[in-house]
Amino acid sequence: MKPIRNHSRRLWAAVAVLGLGAALTAPATALGAPTAEDDRHHQPKPNPQVIAKAEPDECFAGVGLPYPAGPPCASGQAKVNQGYLWGMTRADEDLWFGTGANVNCLTSGRQLGTNEPKLNDDWVCEYQESQIVKTNPQLPGYLGDHRTPRLYTYDTRAKRLTEKTDLVKAVQADHDRLRTTTGIRAAGNFGGVALLGGPAIGKTINLFAFDTDTGAFLGSRNFPEFGNIRHFTVAEGALYAGVGVGANGSLRGHVLRWVGSKTDPFNFQIVGNLPAQAADITVHDGRIAVSTWPGAEGELATADEPAPPSKLAAVWTSPVLAKGAPGLTPDDADGWQQVWDVSTYEPDPVVANSYGLGGLVSYRGYLYWGTMHVPLKATRQHLAAYPPVDEAATELTIQNTQRSISIYRGKRLGEKHQKVELLYGAAELPAYDPAANGGAGAWAKVSTGQTPLYGSSGFGNPYLNYTWKMAVAGGRLYVGTMDWSYLAKELSQEAAAISGLSVEKAAEALSAPSLAAAAADDDPTLPEPVYGGDLLVFESAREPAKVVSDSGVGNYLNYGIRNMVTDGTTLYLGMANPMNLRADPTDDVPEGGWELIRYDTRGR
């Protein structure tokens, strides 16, 4: 188990990513991977261990060109579109999960409004030039890289992967729903039924139901009243889910209680009304707790008119589950309480409006949670809210709107003497004052009013931008994150596109905080740069986190741990890896596409 690195040394690695320092190299040996000198017959099974992985599913001949037959590909090159193991749930020995294809392209296109094709050695986003849009011109350009998601089970005892996609395709109506689902973002199970689904093209969600006892497909349903769904949880003998309303869940949110069965698998009741869409959902201290995502995309806040607290990313708790009828009912829908929001930490109101919240979990009497930051989203919103007057002002906006994740925990939430602690974050953050300098505006460091208990934002890594999932296994709290350092060069081009700067100046602005931290470091030695999402662990509620892996849990192209499911002391990790052109097993670069990883926490 590795301690967390000194943050400024890790920041030097970020400088190299942007091409401003030493060239990047991959980790010499992947975590858990045997070396060439190992005697395979006498080595224990690697831990962590990849137990399933996406395979190439398309051939690519060039941006905008028809897709050759295959794979195998007689022409063009193999491509692996299924990049995210997105929604996952465990029913006894079986894992049920679904995928998302080219999610990095879909997110960048929607959030950043960049629909010009992108092509490099690792991935391609065809956007409006793709055959998908050319044959379906009614689709917006950012959906050009959409592909039908896939559904699977993995038998953990027999170690067998079974694809369930064809069961859905057998009936045209179900097939149509799957084709129009942007990804299987959520999964949960209860009462012998597994529910998997996600947002559909438009402003709805699609759900697909399976019998967990027999594996049979039970049907699908479109829900036009909801626009997004991310997670399920089981509490006090009932299954609950968090949803959003509107395109991508951007208008408001609900918490649903499943009251269905194998013969009626799509029966839900609304038991929670929220002003923002629900993100993650868990059980804490006899209540349901949810994290939320911001309001409508493009909804901007200013220093004079900040977004109302209810529209910011926040933590909400339900009425007590044991009070009144068993579990939550529709009578509880308006009884939820907001116990925290990002304005208590982030001093800039426009940047605060760009925050999301991700994973949250109950651990040793505390509720833990963390933030989410779509790269450049805050920058784009700030440029629109306060258009810079010159290049220097533009560079400052890019520099000062970057955030990495902050981690919190709280107890006695909702009570008069509730306690919320900042575990990883910043004592000061840059905020923009449009009235400064006689109305010309200026950035300045402003106190967050808090001192982090354990360390700096991002666990010391400025490129950790998503707190994707938290889970407890073997008495320890694990945190799965996203690290966007591998995307940094491409994102400097995105920053240039949205700001009007040259790529070089945009890259310099993005790296400015890294350079400042590194310059203050007493040790000028450059550490080996590290790619890949970080997996961290709190071994108790009294100690800081430790690093389990800072290189994608064995594959540095895995830029994040998207999902985690536990089974006692075992963690099953669903990885996000959008490098869709990395599909050659004979080269010296790992392969792209989702991975399912088994990690025995006893063998750490």
Side-chain angles (χ1 to χ4, degrees):
M1 192 72 63
K2 296 176 284 185
I4 294 176
R5 299 184 182 188
N6 177 278
H7 76 280
S8 56
R9 288 173 58 82
R10 184 65 181 260
L11 288 168
W12 261 116
V15 178
V17 172
L18 291 167
L20 301 175
L24 276 164
T25 57
T29 304
L31 178 67
T35 64
E37 291 76 22
D38 288 337
D39 180 353
R40 302 298 198 271
H41 298 292
H42 296 89
Q43 290 296 316
K45 290 182 179 179
N47 185 42
Q49 180 183 23
V50 178
I51 56 177
K53 182 167 178 58
E55 296 182 351
D57 55 352
E58 193 171 87
C59 299
F60 175 72
V63 172
L65 298 179
Y67 309 119
C73 304
S75 61
Q77 66 182 105
K79 183 184 179 195
V80 54
N81 290 296
Q82 305 296 329
Y84 280 31
L85 194 162
W86 220 352
M88 179 166 57
T89 185
R90 181 178 66 84
D92 296 323
E93 282 83 29
D94 292 329
L95 304 176
W96 291 79
F97 64 91
T99 67
N102 300 320
V103 179
N104 183 47
C105 301
L106 302 183
T107 300
S108 294
R110 186 183 68 250
Q111 297 279 8
L112 301 180
T114 54
N115 290 312
E116 291 299 319
K118 301 291 187 297
L119 174 64
N120 54 55
D121 290 339
D122 296 299
W123 78 89
V124 60
C125 295
E126 294 187 87
Y127 292 129
Q128 60 204 15
E129 297 300 321
S130 76
Q131 292 293 305
I132 304 300
V133 172
K134 288 181 178 179
T135 56
N136 300 274
Q138 77 279 7
L139 288 178
Y142 73 80
L143 286 175
D145 299 278
H146 167 73
R147 302 294 188 273
T148 301
R150 297 187 174 184
L151 300 141
Y152 297 89
T153 61
Y154 182 84
D155 185 328
T156 61
R157 178 171 293 179
K159 299 178 174 58
R160 181 176 60 247
L161 181 72
T162 302
E163 184 164 4
K164 296 290 187 177
T165 312
D166 285 344
L167 294 180
V168 180
K169 291 181 176 180
V171 176
Q172 190 61 48
D174 299 318
H175 188 190
D176 289 342
R177 290 192 185 102
L178 188 62
R179 287 192 304 108
T180 58
T181 303
T182 58
I184 304 301
R185 198 171 204 169
N189 80 91
F190 190 74
V193 176
L195 295 163
L196 300 97
I201 294 172
K203 302 179 180 181
T204 69
I205 66 171
N206 291 324
L207 290 181
F208 304 86
F210 293 85
D211 186 323
T212 60
D213 297 316
T214 67
F217 178 53
L218 300 176
S220 68
R221 176 77 59 83
N222 174 258
F223 291 79
E225 61 269 46
F226 309 127
N228 204 357
I229 183 169
R230 281 186 167 91
H231 291 284
F232 288 83
T233 195
V234 174
E236 300 290 335
L239 178 68
Y240 297 90
V243 298
V245 176
N248 200 37
S250 59
L251 297 181
R252 59 186 181 278
H254 296 294
V255 175
L256 309 180
R257 177 177 177 170
W258 186 68
V259 290
S261 64
K262 290 184 179 181
T263 57
D264 184 18
F266 303 109
N267 193 350
F268 293 91
Q269 294 176 335
I270 293 176
V271 296
N273 294 322
L274 303 171
Q277 66 172 306
D280 209 345
I281 181 169
T282 193
V283 186
H284 173 71
D285 201 19
R287 304 171 187 263
I288 300 291
V290 299
S291 56
T292 65
W293 201 266
E297 292 172 16
E299 178 184 312
L300 301 177
T302 67
D304 296 326
E305 297 183 78
S310 62
K311 283 292 187 180
L312 295 174
V315 175
W316 290 75
T317 58
S318 75
V320 176
L321 294 171
K323 187 176 181 179
L328 300 180
T329 71
D331 291 338
D332 297 307
D334 293 322
W336 290 65
Q337 179 182 12
Q338 180 180 302
V339 297
W340 182 89
D341 73 64
V342 300
S343 68
T344 65
Y345 171 73
E346 173 58 57
D348 187 283
V350 178
V351 176
N353 201 49
S354 73
Y355 277 56
L357 291 187
L360 80 168
V361 74
S362 183
Y363 179 64
R364 299 190 182 276
Y366 290 92
L367 182 69
Y368 285 70
W369 67 91
T371 61
M372 306 275 280
H373 307 273
V374 176
L376 297 178
K377 181 179 179 181
T379 303
R380 185 175 181 233
Q381 292 189 177
H382 229 291
L383 290 170
Y386 301 110
V389 297
D390 53 29
E391 279 195 351
T394 302
E395 291 176 36
L396 285 173
T397 297
I398 295 174
Q399 173 184 336
N400 289 307
T401 51
Q402 306 312 307
R403 300 289 187 269
S404 51
I405 61 175
S406 43
I407 305 294
Y408 311 81
R409 71 181 180 193
K411 62 170 42 177
R412 299 187 298 275
L413 296 173
E415 298 179 13
K416 182 178 180 180
H417 300 293
Q418 81 168 23
K419 179 182 179 181
V420 174
E421 295 177 299
L422 174 67
L423 303 184
Y424 289 90
E428 293 184 327
L429 287 170
Y432 185 74
D433 180 0
N437 292 335
W443 289 92
K445 286 289 187 70
V446 176
S447 172
T448 64
Q450 301 169 68
T451 300
L453 183 62
Y454 293 137
S456 59
S457 303
F459 296 99
N461 176 359
Y463 281 85
L464 291 191
N465 63 308
Y466 283 0
T467 312
W468 241 337
K469 191 64 178 174
M470 296 183 178
V472 176
R476 303 174 184 89
L477 167 58
Y478 290 84
V479 182
T481 70
M482 174 183 170
D483 179 325
W484 64 274
S485 60
Y486 201 80
L487 308 179
K489 287 186 178 181
E490 187 69 27
L491 284 167
S492 65
Q493 298 177 23
E494 300 283 3
I498 66 176
S499 68
L501 295 176
S502 67
V503 173
E504 293 74 19
K505 287 192 174 183
E508 186 176 354
L510 279 172
S511 66
S514 304
L515 291 169
D521 194 354
D522 294 332
D523 181 3
T525 306
L526 293 178
E528 179 181 326
V530 178
Y531 291 135
D534 293 9
L535 178 64
L536 302 111
V537 62
F538 289 94
E539 295 187 331
S540 76
R542 301 180 302 276
E543 304 173 75
K546 296 179 181 179
V547 176
V548 177
S549 170
D550 58 4
S551 55
V553 197
N555 179 345
Y556 63 86
L557 298 185
N558 290 335
Y559 70 8
I561 298 98
R562 177 60 185 85
N563 220 320
M564 292 191 284
V565 169
T566 63
D567 184 2
T569 59
T570 300
L571 269 178
Y572 291 98
L573 311 176
M575 308 302 289
N577 181 337
M579 311 304 166
N580 54 27
L581 295 183
R582 289 299 184 187
D584 183 356
T586 66
D587 63 17
D588 59 356
V589 179
E591 280 68 66
W594 61 263
E595 292 181 353
L596 176 60
I597 295 175
R598 181 186 183 276
Y599 174 45
D600 185 348
T601 63
R602 297 169 300 178
R604 59 189 180 80

